[in-house]
Amino acid sequence: MDYLNCGREELEKEYDALVKKYENVKGMGLKLNMARGKPGKEQLDLSLEMLDVLNSKSDFVGADGMDCRNYGILEGIEECRQLFGEILGVPSETVMVGGSSSLNMMFDTISCMMTKPVVDGCKPWYEVKDRKFLCPVPGYDRHFGITEYYGFEMIPVPMTENGPDMDIVEKFVENDASIKGIWCVPKYSNPQGITYSDETVRRFAALKPAAKDFRIMWDNAYCIHDISDTPDELLNIYDECKKNGTEDMPILFCSTSKITFPGAGVAAMAASDNNMRVFKERYNYQVISYDKLNMLRHIKYFKDFDGVMEHMQKHKAVLKPKFDIVLNALDSQLKTVGIGEWTNPNGGYFVSIDVLSGTAKRVVQLCKEAGVVLTGAGATYPYGNDPDDKNIRIAPTFPPNDELETAMDVFCICTRLAACEKLLSK
Ligand SMILES: Cc1ncc(COP(=O)(O)O)c(C=O)c1O
Protein backbone atom coordinates (compact mmCIF):
# COMPACT_ATOMS: atom_id res chain seq x y z
CA MET A 1 0.00 0.00 0.00
CA ASP A 2 1.28 3.44 -0.92
CA TYR A 3 -0.24 6.15 1.30
CA LEU A 4 0.41 8.95 -1.15
CA ASN A 5 -1.25 7.20 -4.09
CA CYS A 6 -4.09 5.18 -2.62
CA GLY A 7 -7.82 6.01 -2.47
CA ARG A 8 -9.43 7.77 0.49
CA GLU A 9 -11.46 4.73 1.47
CA GLU A 10 -8.38 2.53 1.66
CA LEU A 11 -6.58 5.14 3.72
CA GLU A 12 -9.52 5.45 6.13
CA LYS A 13 -9.45 1.70 6.68
CA GLU A 14 -5.72 1.86 7.34
CA TYR A 15 -6.27 4.74 9.76
CA ASP A 16 -8.88 2.77 11.74
CA ALA A 17 -6.55 -0.23 11.95
CA LEU A 18 -3.66 1.96 13.12
CA VAL A 19 -5.77 3.63 15.81
CA LYS A 20 -6.54 0.17 17.21
CA LYS A 21 -2.86 -0.81 17.14
CA TYR A 22 -1.91 2.47 18.77
CA GLU A 23 -4.47 2.05 21.57
CA ASN A 24 -3.11 -1.45 22.22
CA VAL A 25 0.44 -0.13 22.45
CA LYS A 26 -0.66 2.67 24.78
CA GLY A 27 -2.16 0.09 27.08
CA MET A 28 1.22 -1.63 27.45
CA GLY A 29 2.56 1.02 29.85
CA LEU A 30 5.92 1.28 28.03
CA LYS A 31 8.78 3.44 29.30
CA LEU A 32 11.36 3.56 26.50
CA ASN A 33 13.85 6.19 25.41
CA MET A 34 15.46 6.83 22.02
CA ALA A 35 16.20 10.49 22.70
CA ARG A 36 19.86 11.12 23.45
CA GLY A 37 22.95 9.64 21.86
CA LYS A 38 24.31 7.94 24.94
CA PRO A 39 26.33 4.71 24.91
CA GLY A 40 24.45 1.76 26.37
CA LYS A 41 25.56 -0.18 29.45
CA GLU A 42 27.23 -2.87 27.34
CA GLN A 43 29.42 -0.18 25.75
CA LEU A 44 30.31 1.39 29.09
CA ASP A 45 31.33 -2.04 30.36
CA LEU A 46 33.86 -2.32 27.51
CA SER A 47 36.14 0.23 29.22
CA LEU A 48 35.71 -0.93 32.81
CA GLU A 49 39.24 -2.32 33.02
CA MET A 50 40.58 1.15 32.38
CA LEU A 51 39.60 1.91 35.96
CA ASP A 52 42.08 -0.71 37.17
CA VAL A 53 45.19 0.57 35.36
CA LEU A 54 45.82 3.30 37.95
CA ASN A 55 45.86 2.65 41.67
CA SER A 56 47.85 3.74 44.71
CA LYS A 57 50.81 1.61 43.59
CA SER A 58 51.03 3.06 40.07
CA ASP A 59 53.82 5.13 38.61
CA PHE A 60 52.24 8.54 38.09
CA VAL A 61 55.06 10.07 36.08
CA GLY A 62 54.19 10.89 32.47
CA ALA A 63 56.57 10.85 29.47
CA ASP A 64 57.56 14.47 30.13
CA GLY A 65 58.69 13.59 33.67
CA MET A 66 55.73 15.28 35.29
CA ASP A 67 53.99 13.77 38.29
CA CYS A 68 50.46 13.56 36.91
CA ARG A 69 48.96 13.96 40.38
CA ASN A 70 50.15 17.52 40.58
CA TYR A 71 49.40 20.86 38.88
CA GLY A 72 51.16 21.56 35.61
CA ILE A 73 51.21 21.22 31.80
CA LEU A 74 48.23 23.23 30.61
CA GLU A 75 48.24 21.51 27.17
CA GLY A 76 48.00 18.03 28.66
CA ILE A 77 50.58 15.26 28.91
CA GLU A 78 52.72 14.67 25.85
CA GLU A 79 51.66 11.08 25.14
CA CYS A 80 48.00 12.12 25.23
CA ARG A 81 48.62 15.01 22.83
CA GLN A 82 50.30 12.53 20.50
CA LEU A 83 47.38 10.14 20.66
CA PHE A 84 44.84 12.87 19.91
CA GLY A 85 47.12 14.16 17.16
CA GLU A 86 46.79 10.76 15.49
CA ILE A 87 43.04 10.60 16.08
CA LEU A 88 42.52 14.07 14.59
CA GLY A 89 45.23 13.73 11.91
CA VAL A 90 47.27 16.73 13.07
CA PRO A 91 50.75 17.26 14.57
CA SER A 92 50.78 16.78 18.35
CA GLU A 93 52.15 20.32 18.86
CA THR A 94 48.81 21.73 17.67
CA VAL A 95 46.82 19.70 20.22
CA MET A 96 45.54 20.83 23.58
CA VAL A 97 44.04 18.14 25.80
CA GLY A 98 41.33 19.39 28.12
CA GLY A 99 38.83 18.08 30.61
CA SER A 100 36.19 15.49 29.90
CA SER A 101 34.03 17.39 27.39
CA SER A 102 34.76 18.60 23.87
CA LEU A 103 31.50 20.56 23.95
CA ASN A 104 32.98 22.48 26.87
CA MET A 105 36.05 23.28 24.74
CA MET A 106 33.83 24.47 21.89
CA PHE A 107 31.90 26.69 24.28
CA ASP A 108 35.15 28.10 25.65
CA THR A 109 36.48 28.68 22.13
CA ILE A 110 33.46 30.72 21.05
CA SER A 111 33.44 32.44 24.41
CA CYS A 112 37.10 33.38 23.96
CA MET A 113 36.52 34.89 20.53
CA MET A 114 33.60 36.89 21.93
CA THR A 115 36.05 38.84 24.05
CA LYS A 116 39.44 38.49 22.27
CA PRO A 117 40.01 38.73 18.53
CA VAL A 118 42.04 35.84 17.10
CA VAL A 119 43.28 38.12 14.31
CA ASP A 120 44.93 41.48 14.92
CA GLY A 121 42.74 44.35 13.80
CA CYS A 122 39.47 42.40 14.08
CA LYS A 123 36.88 43.25 16.72
CA PRO A 124 35.99 40.83 19.51
CA TRP A 125 32.76 39.23 18.39
CA TYR A 126 30.62 40.79 21.13
CA GLU A 127 31.27 44.13 19.42
CA VAL A 128 29.98 42.78 16.10
CA LYS A 129 26.31 43.52 16.64
CA ASP A 130 25.04 41.65 13.55
CA ARG A 131 27.27 38.57 14.10
CA LYS A 132 26.12 35.43 12.32
CA PHE A 133 26.99 31.74 12.31
CA LEU A 134 26.27 29.15 9.61
CA CYS A 135 24.47 26.04 10.84
CA PRO A 136 24.26 23.02 8.52
CA VAL A 137 20.82 21.44 8.97
CA PRO A 138 19.80 19.04 10.24
CA GLY A 139 22.53 19.41 12.84
CA TYR A 140 23.48 19.08 16.51
CA ASP A 141 21.21 20.99 18.88
CA ARG A 142 23.96 21.68 21.42
CA HIS A 143 26.10 23.42 18.79
CA PHE A 144 23.18 25.66 17.96
CA GLY A 145 22.64 26.24 21.68
CA ILE A 146 26.15 27.72 22.06
CA THR A 147 25.78 30.22 19.24
CA GLU A 148 22.24 31.09 20.33
CA TYR A 149 23.53 31.74 23.86
CA TYR A 150 26.15 34.13 22.49
CA GLY A 151 23.61 36.05 20.43
CA PHE A 152 24.58 34.99 16.91
CA GLU A 153 21.96 35.02 14.21
CA MET A 154 22.03 31.43 13.04
CA ILE A 155 21.67 30.80 9.33
CA PRO A 156 20.61 27.28 8.32
CA VAL A 157 22.54 25.74 5.42
CA PRO A 158 21.00 22.58 3.94
CA MET A 159 23.03 19.37 4.13
CA THR A 160 23.50 17.38 0.93
CA GLU A 161 24.78 13.81 0.70
CA ASN A 162 28.28 15.34 0.42
CA GLY A 163 28.07 17.67 3.43
CA PRO A 164 26.80 21.25 3.69
CA ASP A 165 25.71 22.85 0.40
CA MET A 166 29.02 24.50 -0.46
CA ASP A 167 27.56 26.89 -3.05
CA ILE A 168 25.58 28.47 -0.21
CA VAL A 169 28.50 28.32 2.24
CA GLU A 170 30.85 30.05 -0.22
CA LYS A 171 28.28 32.70 -1.11
CA PHE A 172 27.73 33.66 2.52
CA VAL A 173 31.30 33.32 3.78
CA GLU A 174 32.97 35.10 0.88
CA ASN A 175 30.56 38.05 0.74
CA ASP A 176 29.49 38.80 4.29
CA ALA A 177 32.02 39.81 6.95
CA SER A 178 29.43 39.38 9.71
CA ILE A 179 29.53 35.58 9.15
CA LYS A 180 32.03 34.51 11.80
CA GLY A 181 31.91 30.75 11.63
CA ILE A 182 30.25 27.48 10.76
CA TRP A 183 29.50 24.34 12.77
CA CYS A 184 30.68 21.12 11.13
CA VAL A 185 30.49 17.47 12.15
CA PRO A 186 32.49 16.26 9.15
CA LYS A 187 32.42 12.51 9.72
CA TYR A 188 29.20 10.62 10.45
CA SER A 189 27.42 13.91 11.05
CA ASN A 190 24.90 14.30 13.83
CA PRO A 191 22.15 13.35 12.99
CA GLN A 192 22.44 12.09 9.39
CA GLY A 193 25.70 10.14 9.59
CA ILE A 194 26.96 11.87 6.44
CA THR A 195 30.71 12.15 5.82
CA TYR A 196 31.83 15.22 3.91
CA SER A 197 33.16 14.39 0.43
CA ASP A 198 36.74 15.18 -0.59
CA GLU A 199 35.42 18.03 -2.72
CA THR A 200 33.53 19.51 0.22
CA VAL A 201 36.65 19.40 2.43
CA ARG A 202 38.73 20.97 -0.36
CA ARG A 203 36.17 23.73 -0.83
CA PHE A 204 36.21 24.42 2.91
CA ALA A 205 39.99 24.66 2.86
CA ALA A 206 39.88 26.99 -0.14
CA LEU A 207 37.33 29.42 1.34
CA LYS A 208 38.26 33.09 1.08
CA PRO A 209 36.19 34.55 3.90
CA ALA A 210 35.14 38.18 3.93
CA ALA A 211 35.77 38.06 7.70
CA LYS A 212 39.48 37.58 8.44
CA ASP A 213 38.47 35.94 11.73
CA PHE A 214 36.02 33.44 10.18
CA ARG A 215 36.50 30.04 11.84
CA ILE A 216 35.36 26.49 11.01
CA MET A 217 34.29 24.59 14.13
CA TRP A 218 35.37 21.12 12.92
CA ASP A 219 33.78 18.86 15.53
CA ASN A 220 35.12 15.43 14.65
CA ALA A 221 33.18 13.73 17.46
CA TYR A 222 32.64 10.52 15.44
CA CYS A 223 35.97 10.36 13.56
CA ILE A 224 36.73 6.73 14.48
CA HIS A 225 33.20 5.55 15.23
CA ASP A 226 32.61 3.13 12.34
CA ILE A 227 29.82 0.57 12.35
CA SER A 228 30.41 -0.79 8.86
CA ASP A 229 33.11 -2.98 7.33
CA THR A 230 33.38 -0.37 4.60
CA PRO A 231 33.84 2.78 6.69
CA ASP A 232 33.78 6.29 5.24
CA GLU A 233 37.06 8.14 4.68
CA LEU A 234 37.33 11.83 5.51
CA LEU A 235 39.91 13.99 3.78
CA ASN A 236 42.28 15.67 6.25
CA ILE A 237 41.20 19.32 6.58
CA TYR A 238 44.43 20.36 8.27
CA ASP A 239 46.54 19.12 5.33
CA GLU A 240 44.20 20.71 2.80
CA CYS A 241 44.28 24.03 4.64
CA LYS A 242 48.08 23.92 4.74
CA LYS A 243 48.12 23.58 0.95
CA ASN A 244 45.91 26.68 0.72
CA GLY A 245 47.65 28.69 3.41
CA THR A 246 44.39 28.71 5.42
CA GLU A 247 45.52 26.69 8.43
CA ASP A 248 44.19 29.36 10.81
CA MET A 249 40.63 28.65 9.68
CA PRO A 250 39.73 25.25 11.19
CA ILE A 251 39.53 24.46 14.90
CA LEU A 252 39.30 20.72 15.47
CA PHE A 253 37.62 18.94 18.37
CA CYS A 254 37.06 15.39 19.59
CA SER A 255 36.83 13.37 22.80
CA THR A 256 36.73 9.85 24.17
CA SER A 257 33.15 10.34 25.41
CA LYS A 258 31.97 7.59 23.06
CA ILE A 259 35.17 5.58 23.29
CA THR A 260 35.45 5.20 27.08
CA PHE A 261 33.05 7.11 29.36
CA PRO A 262 30.92 10.16 28.48
CA GLY A 263 31.40 12.66 31.24
CA ALA A 264 34.58 10.93 32.44
CA GLY A 265 36.58 10.69 29.21
CA VAL A 266 39.20 13.04 27.80
CA ALA A 267 38.57 15.83 25.28
CA ALA A 268 40.97 17.57 22.94
CA MET A 269 41.15 20.39 20.44
CA ALA A 270 43.70 21.34 17.79
CA ALA A 271 44.38 24.58 15.98
CA SER A 272 47.17 26.62 14.42
CA ASP A 273 49.67 28.53 16.60
CA ASN A 274 47.97 31.83 15.79
CA ASN A 275 44.70 30.59 17.26
CA MET A 276 46.21 28.61 20.12
CA ARG A 277 48.21 31.58 21.37
CA VAL A 278 44.96 33.46 22.00
CA PHE A 279 43.03 30.48 23.37
CA LYS A 280 45.85 29.48 25.75
CA GLU A 281 46.09 32.97 27.16
CA ARG A 282 42.47 32.61 28.22
CA TYR A 283 42.93 29.02 29.47
CA ASN A 284 45.81 30.31 31.57
CA TYR A 285 43.36 32.40 33.53
CA GLN A 286 40.60 29.84 33.78
CA VAL A 287 42.47 26.70 34.83
CA ILE A 288 45.89 25.67 36.16
CA SER A 289 45.82 22.27 34.46
CA TYR A 290 43.30 19.58 33.56
CA ASP A 291 42.94 16.07 34.98
CA LYS A 292 46.25 14.43 34.04
CA LEU A 293 45.47 11.25 35.97
CA ASN A 294 42.59 10.62 33.60
CA MET A 295 44.85 11.31 30.63
CA LEU A 296 47.40 8.86 32.05
CA ARG A 297 44.68 6.29 32.72
CA HIS A 298 43.61 6.46 29.06
CA ILE A 299 47.20 6.16 27.83
CA LYS A 300 48.04 3.23 30.11
CA TYR A 301 44.88 1.45 29.00
CA PHE A 302 45.08 2.00 25.23
CA LYS A 303 48.89 2.23 24.85
CA ASP A 304 48.58 3.81 21.38
CA PHE A 305 46.33 4.64 18.43
CA ASP A 306 46.14 0.96 17.36
CA GLY A 307 44.90 0.15 20.85
CA VAL A 308 42.11 2.70 20.47
CA MET A 309 41.14 1.36 17.05
CA GLU A 310 40.99 -2.21 18.40
CA HIS A 311 38.70 -0.99 21.16
CA MET A 312 36.43 0.69 18.57
CA GLN A 313 35.90 -2.72 16.96
CA LYS A 314 34.23 -3.81 20.20
CA HIS A 315 31.90 -0.81 20.08
CA LYS A 316 31.12 -1.63 16.47
CA ALA A 317 30.11 -5.19 17.42
CA VAL A 318 27.62 -3.77 19.95
CA LEU A 319 26.30 -0.97 17.76
CA LYS A 320 25.87 -2.64 14.37
CA PRO A 321 22.94 -4.84 15.49
CA LYS A 322 21.24 -1.77 16.98
CA PHE A 323 21.43 0.15 13.72
CA ASP A 324 20.17 -2.96 11.93
CA ILE A 325 17.12 -3.09 14.21
CA VAL A 326 16.29 0.54 13.38
CA LEU A 327 16.85 0.19 9.65
CA ASN A 328 14.98 -3.12 9.37
CA ALA A 329 11.96 -1.61 11.13
CA LEU A 330 11.99 1.42 8.81
CA ASP A 331 12.35 -0.77 5.72
CA SER A 332 9.63 -3.23 6.67
CA GLN A 333 7.12 -0.81 8.21
CA LEU A 334 7.57 2.57 6.50
CA LYS A 335 9.14 1.90 3.10
CA THR A 336 6.24 -0.45 2.38
CA VAL A 337 3.75 2.43 2.69
CA GLY A 338 5.91 5.01 0.91
CA ILE A 339 6.33 7.22 3.98
CA GLY A 340 9.63 8.71 5.11
CA GLU A 341 13.22 9.01 3.96
CA TRP A 342 16.17 8.06 6.11
CA THR A 343 19.91 7.66 6.11
CA ASN A 344 21.84 4.41 6.33
CA PRO A 345 25.09 5.56 7.93
CA ASN A 346 28.40 3.70 8.07
CA GLY A 347 29.09 5.05 11.54
CA GLY A 348 28.23 7.60 14.20
CA TYR A 349 25.39 7.55 16.67
CA PHE A 350 22.17 8.39 14.84
CA VAL A 351 19.69 7.66 12.12
CA SER A 352 17.96 10.74 10.74
CA ILE A 353 14.42 10.35 9.43
CA ASP A 354 12.29 12.72 7.42
CA VAL A 355 8.68 11.72 8.05
CA LEU A 356 5.75 13.14 6.04
CA SER A 357 6.11 16.95 6.05
CA GLY A 358 4.07 18.59 8.78
CA THR A 359 3.92 15.50 11.00
CA ALA A 360 7.21 15.31 12.95
CA LYS A 361 5.84 17.07 16.04
CA ARG A 362 2.74 14.90 15.97
CA VAL A 363 4.86 11.71 15.69
CA VAL A 364 6.95 12.73 18.71
CA GLN A 365 3.79 13.54 20.69
CA LEU A 366 2.09 10.24 19.77
CA CYS A 367 5.26 8.33 20.74
CA LYS A 368 5.47 10.17 24.04
CA GLU A 369 1.86 9.35 24.90
CA ALA A 370 2.64 5.71 24.14
CA GLY A 371 5.67 5.75 26.46
CA VAL A 372 8.50 6.21 23.91
CA VAL A 373 10.62 9.35 24.32
CA LEU A 374 12.27 10.75 21.17
CA THR A 375 14.47 13.80 20.62
CA GLY A 376 12.08 16.76 20.29
CA ALA A 377 10.94 17.49 16.74
CA GLY A 378 12.77 20.57 15.49
CA ALA A 379 15.78 19.99 17.78
CA THR A 380 18.00 19.43 14.75
CA TYR A 381 17.38 23.02 13.53
CA PRO A 382 18.54 26.38 14.95
CA TYR A 383 15.94 27.83 17.36
CA GLY A 384 14.20 24.42 17.26
CA ASN A 385 12.51 25.52 14.04
CA ASP A 386 12.25 22.82 11.38
CA PRO A 387 10.36 24.73 8.66
CA ASP A 388 8.93 21.52 7.17
CA ASP A 389 8.26 19.87 10.54
CA LYS A 390 9.63 16.60 9.16
CA ASN A 391 13.03 15.70 10.69
CA ILE A 392 13.36 13.29 13.62
CA ARG A 393 16.61 12.02 15.10
CA ILE A 394 16.65 8.41 16.26
CA ALA A 395 19.34 7.48 18.79
CA PRO A 396 19.58 3.67 18.82
CA THR A 397 22.58 3.24 21.11
CA PHE A 398 21.16 3.42 24.63
CA PRO A 399 18.20 1.02 24.87
CA PRO A 400 18.81 -2.74 25.13
CA ASN A 401 18.02 -4.47 21.81
CA ASP A 402 14.64 -5.92 22.82
CA GLU A 403 13.48 -2.48 24.01
CA LEU A 404 14.81 -0.88 20.86
CA GLU A 405 12.75 -3.28 18.73
CA THR A 406 9.60 -2.40 20.63
CA ALA A 407 10.39 1.31 20.53
CA MET A 408 10.89 1.17 16.76
CA ASP A 409 7.57 -0.66 16.27
CA VAL A 410 5.85 2.10 18.25
CA PHE A 411 7.70 4.76 16.25
CA CYS A 412 6.58 3.23 12.95
CA ILE A 413 2.94 2.93 14.09
CA CYS A 414 2.99 6.59 15.20
CA THR A 415 4.64 7.76 11.97
CA ARG A 416 2.01 5.95 9.90
CA LEU A 417 -0.84 7.16 12.09
CA ALA A 418 0.34 10.78 11.89
CA ALA A 419 0.69 10.45 8.10
CA CYS A 420 -2.84 9.07 7.73
CA GLU A 421 -4.26 11.84 9.94
CA LYS A 422 -2.50 14.47 7.84
CA LEU A 423 -3.48 12.98 4.48
CA LEU A 424 -7.11 12.49 5.51
CA SER A 425 -7.40 16.02 6.82
CA LYS A 426 -6.59 17.44 3.35
C1 LIG B 1 28.59 16.11 17.30
C2 LIG B 1 28.83 16.03 18.77
N1 LIG B 1 29.79 16.78 19.32
C3 LIG B 1 30.03 16.75 20.65
C4 LIG B 1 29.28 15.95 21.48
C5 LIG B 1 29.58 15.98 22.95
O1 LIG B 1 30.89 15.63 23.14
P1 LIG B 1 31.57 15.67 24.58
O2 LIG B 1 30.98 14.59 25.40
O3 LIG B 1 33.02 15.47 24.30
O4 LIG B 1 31.31 17.03 25.17
C6 LIG B 1 28.27 15.16 20.95
C7 LIG B 1 27.45 14.31 21.83
O5 LIG B 1 26.46 13.75 21.46
C8 LIG B 1 28.02 15.21 19.56
O6 LIG B 1 27.06 14.48 18.99
Side-chain angles (χ1 to χ4, degrees):
M1 179 180 186
D2 179 351
Y3 283 8
L4 297 178
N5 292 304
C6 69
R8 188 172 176 92
E9 216 172 292
E10 212 183 334
L11 204 59
E12 275 168 355
K13 260 196 203 153
E14 170 77 356
Y15 172 77
D16 290 343
L18 284 167
V19 169
K20 279 200 189 107
K21 274 192 189 173
Y22 181 67
E23 290 306 327
N24 270 344
V25 163
K26 253 175 117 175
M28 286 161 68
L30 297 173
K31 258 191 159 177
L32 307 173
N33 194 316
M34 290 197 292
R36 290 233 75 98
K38 296 201 284 193
K41 182 179 178 312
E42 210 181 330
Q43 285 178 276
L44 299 177
D45 287 347
L46 293 176
S47 304
L48 266 188
E49 284 173 17
M50 189 178 74
L51 299 179
D52 301 330
V53 298
L54 266 195
N55 57 42
S56 61
K57 311 215 169 26
S58 298
D59 176 6
F60 300 107
V61 179
D64 17 30
M66 168 66 73
D67 184 336
C68 290
R69 293 170 300 178
N70 220 327
Y71 281 142
I73 323 187
L74 180 64
E75 301 83 356
I77 60 174
E78 185 51 37
E79 51 273 53
C80 215
R81 292 175 81 193
Q82 264 170 26
L83 179 62
F84 278 112
E86 280 186 81
I87 293 175
L88 286 169
V90 297
S92 61
E93 309 85 75
T94 62
V95 175
M96 161 145 184
V97 187
S100 63
S101 161
S102 60
L103 194 72
N104 192 172
M105 297 187 99
M106 294 176 229
F107 187 94
D108 281 342
T109 300
I110 299 288
S111 175
C112 179
M113 291 187 277
M114 288 298 289
T115 49
K116 281 265 172 193
V118 271
V119 176
D120 283 345
C122 289
K123 287 183 186 166
W125 289 352
Y126 85 91
E127 282 183 23
V128 182
K129 295 298 171 220
D130 59 346
R131 57 186 173 273
K132 301 182 186 71
F133 225 84
L134 299 184
C135 299
V137 290
Y140 179 35
D141 52 351
R142 289 184 188 271
H143 284 163
F144 304 155
I146 295 175
T147 30
E148 183 170 6
Y149 179 82
Y150 279 113
F152 286 83
E153 183 190 331
M154 292 183 284
I155 300 177
V157 176
M159 284 288 285
T160 72
E161 61 184 346
N162 295 313
D165 185 325
M166 289 309 289
D167 289 341
I168 298 180
V169 170
E170 284 163 357
K171 199 165 138 244
F172 272 115
V173 172
E174 301 191 347
N175 295 296
D176 184 347
S178 68
I179 307 273
K180 294 298 178 188
I182 182 167
W183 288 113
C184 292
V185 183
K187 190 157 178 193
Y188 304 135
S189 65
N190 178 348
Q192 290 166 301
I194 288 172
T195 297
Y196 294 8
S197 69
D198 291 359
E199 193 203 335
T200 298
V201 176
R202 286 199 185 100
R203 285 173 76 174
F204 264 113
L207 281 174
K208 295 181 185 60
K212 288 191 174 56
D213 54 353
F214 170 83
R215 291 294 175 266
I216 303 170
M217 298 290 280
W218 199 254
D219 176 4
N220 219 343
Y222 301 109
C223 53
I224 51 172
H225 301 59
D226 307 314
I227 50 166
S228 155
D229 294 332
T230 50
D232 297 351
E233 297 274 344
L234 175 70
L235 198 64
N236 186 313
I237 184 121
Y238 183 81
D239 292 346
E240 290 305 310
C241 284
K242 277 209 114 169
K243 286 183 205 160
N244 286 272
T246 56
E247 58 267 37
D248 287 343
M249 219 162 32
I251 307 170
L252 293 76
F253 301 89
C254 73
S255 76
T256 70
S257 285
K258 280 138 192 182
I259 299 173
T260 56
F261 303 123
V266 182
M269 65 185 286
S272 71
D273 280 353
N274 289 336
N275 290 309
M276 272 303 183
R277 205 174 309 120
V278 180
F279 299 150
K280 275 190 198 157
E281 188 196 339
R282 176 193 157 108
Y283 274 116
N284 247 323
Y285 287 106
Q286 88 180 52
V287 66
I288 301 177
S289 55
Y290 284 102
D291 181 349
K292 291 188 294 300
L293 287 181
N294 202 24
M295 296 178 203
L296 192 63
R297 193 179 286 123
H298 279 72
I299 293 296
K300 279 186 187 280
Y301 182 58
F302 287 124
K303 310 264 181 316
D304 53 23
F305 181 65
D306 289 345
V308 179
M309 293 311 282
E310 255 170 53
H311 189 77
M312 293 314 287
Q313 289 295 321
K314 298 182 197 160
H315 281 287
K316 178 175 145 188
V318 177
L319 290 183
K320 177 77 170 81
K322 291 183 185 287
F323 277 78
D324 286 346
I325 288 171
V326 171
L327 293 164
N328 286 340
L330 296 174
D331 276 343
S332 61
Q333 299 183 54
L334 294 187
K335 202 183 216 168
T336 42
V337 294
I339 289 297
E341 281 178 24
W342 50 89
T343 50
N344 185 349
N346 286 326
Y349 257 59
F350 304 101
V351 174
S352 169
I353 303 175
D354 284 343
V355 296
L356 184 68
S357 283
T359 66
K361 282 202 175 78
R362 178 70 178 140
V363 171
V364 172
Q365 180 202 0
L366 284 167
C367 280
K368 188 174 170 205
E369 286 166 14
V372 175
V373 180
L374 298 173
T375 312
T380 52
Y381 283 72
Y383 313 107
N385 177 23
D386 173 359
D388 297 324
D389 184 27
K390 67 177 184 186
N391 188 252
I392 296 178
R393 183 182 83 165
I394 298 275
T397 57
F398 188 68
N401 291 1
D402 55 336
E403 289 187 10
L404 184 61
E405 269 171 26
T406 312
M408 280 310 295
D409 286 344
V410 176
F411 173 78
C412 291
I413 292 170
C414 294
T415 302
R416 289 167 66 157
L417 185 56
C420 286
E421 279 176 0
K422 175 93 184 162
L423 293 168
L424 288 168
S425 71
K426 275 186 183 169

